[in-house]
Structures are given as structure tokens and as C-alpha cells.
Amino acid sequence: MLLIEIFTDTILNKKNLKDYVKIRKEKNKRGEFDDASLIKAEENLQRLKQENPEIHDAMYETLAKIYERNIGLTLEYPIDFIRQILKMYNGSLTPCQVYEEYQRVLNHYHHNA
């Protein structure tokens, strides 16, 4: 299985990103994010799930809708999801604002070439 496939599976199936970091190290490969960023994303996901479960679920629902609509490059979907998660608790944006920003991608109508 390719590293991007493992990463996508991890995101879509809500698996722990810390486990993905271990798998990636075993394969001795690098991905889009460094280990610290992935660990921070996992911490943000756990915090979001605990403090704002409705936003946590809504983020994953938006990701599922993005896959359903097939808007953009499918390899980018889980990467963009993690980029949004990393924005949470890191600045002035609230989790709700990050979610609203992420959901706007559903208004774009470009497809894979």
C-alpha cells in the first residue's frame, strides 16, 4: 500500500495519526506533514472531539461530501483536511470558523482533469 493510501485510510476511518507516524517511520518515508504536525493534528482532533463533538463530526461529514462530489484532486482531500485541523487552536480562528472556512470548498465546482 502506498503511503498516501495509508494516510487517506487513516483520515477517512478516523484512525490515530500517531499510529500513522509510526507506520511512516517504519517505511522510512516522508509525507506532506512532519511528525510534529501530525501529532499536533491528532491532539487537535482529540480536543475537538472532546470540546466540540458537533464540529468534529461536521468536519468529517464535510470531508465525506467532498469525496462524494469529487471536487478537486482526490489525493489532496485528506491533506487539506489536516491543514484545516492544524488551524484549530492555533491563532484567532475558532473551531467553528475553521469549519465554516473548510465547508466553503463545497461551493467550488472544479473536478479532476
Side-chain angles (χ1 to χ4, degrees):
M1 189 177 267
L2 296 174
L3 193 60
I4 188 65
E5 292 170 330
I6 296 168
F7 180 70
T8 300
D9 177 65
T10 299
I11 301 303
L12 291 178
N13 292 303
K14 303 178 187 176
K15 296 179 182 178
N16 193 307
L17 285 165
K18 292 177 184 177
D19 293 335
Y20 168 75
V21 169
K22 291 176 190 173
I23 291 168
R24 186 172 73 177
K25 283 183 179 180
E26 289 170 5
K27 291 185 172 279
N28 198 24
K29 299 213 176 191
R30 302 295 301 162
E32 179 73 20
F33 303 100
D34 62 19
D35 294 351
S37 294
L38 289 171
I39 290 169
K40 179 65 176 166
E42 180 60 34
E43 291 169 354
N44 285 0
L45 281 166
Q46 294 306 317
R47 182 176 173 186
L48 185 65
K49 186 175 183 179
Q50 185 176 38
E51 295 178 6
N52 296 293
E54 64 286 341
I55 299 289
H56 177 271
D57 293 346
M59 289 292 291
Y60 279 103
E61 289 170 12
T62 299
L63 178 61
K65 287 178 186 175
I66 290 168
Y67 269 97
E68 285 175 19
R69 292 185 181 188
N70 193 27
I71 52 177
L73 287 172
T74 56
L75 293 177
E76 291 291 322
Y77 300 163
I79 293 169
D80 187 49
F81 179 83
I82 293 301
R83 285 183 184 134
Q84 298 303 317
I85 295 300
L86 287 169
K87 289 180 185 178
M88 294 186 179
Y89 312 111
N90 187 29
S92 62
L93 292 177
T94 66
C96 186
Q97 289 170 320
V98 172
Y99 164 68
E100 289 169 356
E101 178 183 305
Y102 182 54
Q103 196 174 31
R104 284 187 202 120
V105 76
L106 293 172
N107 296 326
H108 297 278
Y109 295 104
H110 56 283
H111 298 276
N112 286 346

